[in-house]
Amino acid sequence: MERLELTLHPTKTRIVGLWTGEEGFDFLGMLHRKTKAETSESQVYYTTQQWLCRKAKERIREVVKERLAPANMRHKSFQEHLEYLNPKIQDWRNYYVTTYSQRKMAKRDWYILQRLTKWYAKKRMRENLTYGLMRRGRIYLPFTLAEAQ
C-alpha cells in the first residue's frame, strides 16, 4: 500500500468477523454480509450477499426529494421530472441491483412513486388525493412511467 501511496482511514477501517454472520461491512455503497443459503436440493451453503447500505439509501432519497419537494419545482412538467430522474434511476438500478437486493430496490421504486404522487397532488392542489390514493394502494398519475419514455 505504501508503494501505491494509499492510507487507511482510522475511523472507517476495522476488522469484521464474517464467520458468525452477525456483522457486515459497507464497501462501495453496498452492505456485505455472510448469510446461509440453500440449493434446490436442500443443500445448505454460506455466501456473501450484498444490499444497499443505509448511507446509499439516504442519498437516493435525498436526490429525489431535492427534485420533487421544493415549491419552485411545481411549475415543471411531469415529463421534465421524468427526464431528470429516469437516467438516475437507471444508474442506481444498474449499480445496486443484485440477486439479494430486489426487495430493497422495490422499496426505493415505491418511494420514488410516492414522491411523484405527492408532487402531482400539490401541483394540482389536491391535498386529499395524495394520502387517499396511497392509503388504498391506488396511484393515478397523468400517464405511466413507461409511456413517458
Side-chain angles (χ1 to χ4, degrees):
M1 287 190 18
E2 291 174 10
R3 188 178 66 173
L4 297 174
E5 298 179 9
L6 297 175
T7 58
L8 298 176
H9 195 280
T11 58
K12 292 182 178 179
T13 306
R14 63 189 172 103
I15 296 175
V16 178
L18 286 179
W19 186 253
T20 60
E22 296 171 4
E23 285 186 290
F25 62 93
D26 292 339
F27 185 66
L28 297 176
M30 303 287 270
L31 172 67
H32 301 267
R33 179 173 281 170
K34 177 186 165 191
T35 57
K36 190 189 304 188
E38 196 171 319
T39 65
S40 58
E41 289 89 30
S42 300
Q43 294 177 342
V44 176
Y45 67 97
Y46 292 91
T47 184
T48 305
Q49 295 182 352
Q50 297 84 25
W51 299 282
L52 236 65
C53 72
R54 181 186 50 79
K55 192 174 175 182
K57 283 189 277 189
E58 288 172 2
R59 179 66 185 137
I60 290 170
R61 291 171 82 87
E62 187 179 298
V63 167
V64 172
K65 196 170 185 179
E66 282 175 5
R67 179 65 184 195
L68 298 174
N72 64 351
M73 289 300 207
R74 291 194 195 121
H75 75 280
K76 294 194 181 275
S77 70
F78 191 73
Q79 183 68 33
E80 288 176 296
H81 285 304
L82 289 181
E83 287 172 2
Y84 175 82
L85 288 174
N86 275 343
K88 293 185 181 306
I89 293 168
Q90 192 61 45
D91 289 346
W92 293 326
R93 177 160 298 285
N94 290 341
Y95 183 76
Y96 290 113
V97 82
T98 64
T99 308
Y100 312 107
S101 68
Q102 292 298 321
R103 188 173 292 158
K104 305 270 187 203
M105 298 306 282
K107 285 182 181 180
R108 187 222 46 195
D109 291 343
W110 178 248
Y111 174 76
I112 293 169
L113 196 55
Q114 283 179 323
R115 291 305 309 182
L116 281 168
T117 304
K118 287 179 182 181
W119 169 83
Y120 184 72
K122 286 182 180 181
K123 181 178 176 91
R124 301 293 174 216
M125 295 183 207
R126 297 179 182 166
E127 196 63 39
N128 62 350
L129 175 71
T130 306
Y131 300 105
L133 295 178
M134 287 294 178
R135 189 173 55 246
R136 286 186 231 115
R138 295 187 205 117
I139 298 173
Y140 298 101
L141 295 174
F143 48 88
T144 64
L145 298 176
E147 290 173 5
Q149 296 175 350

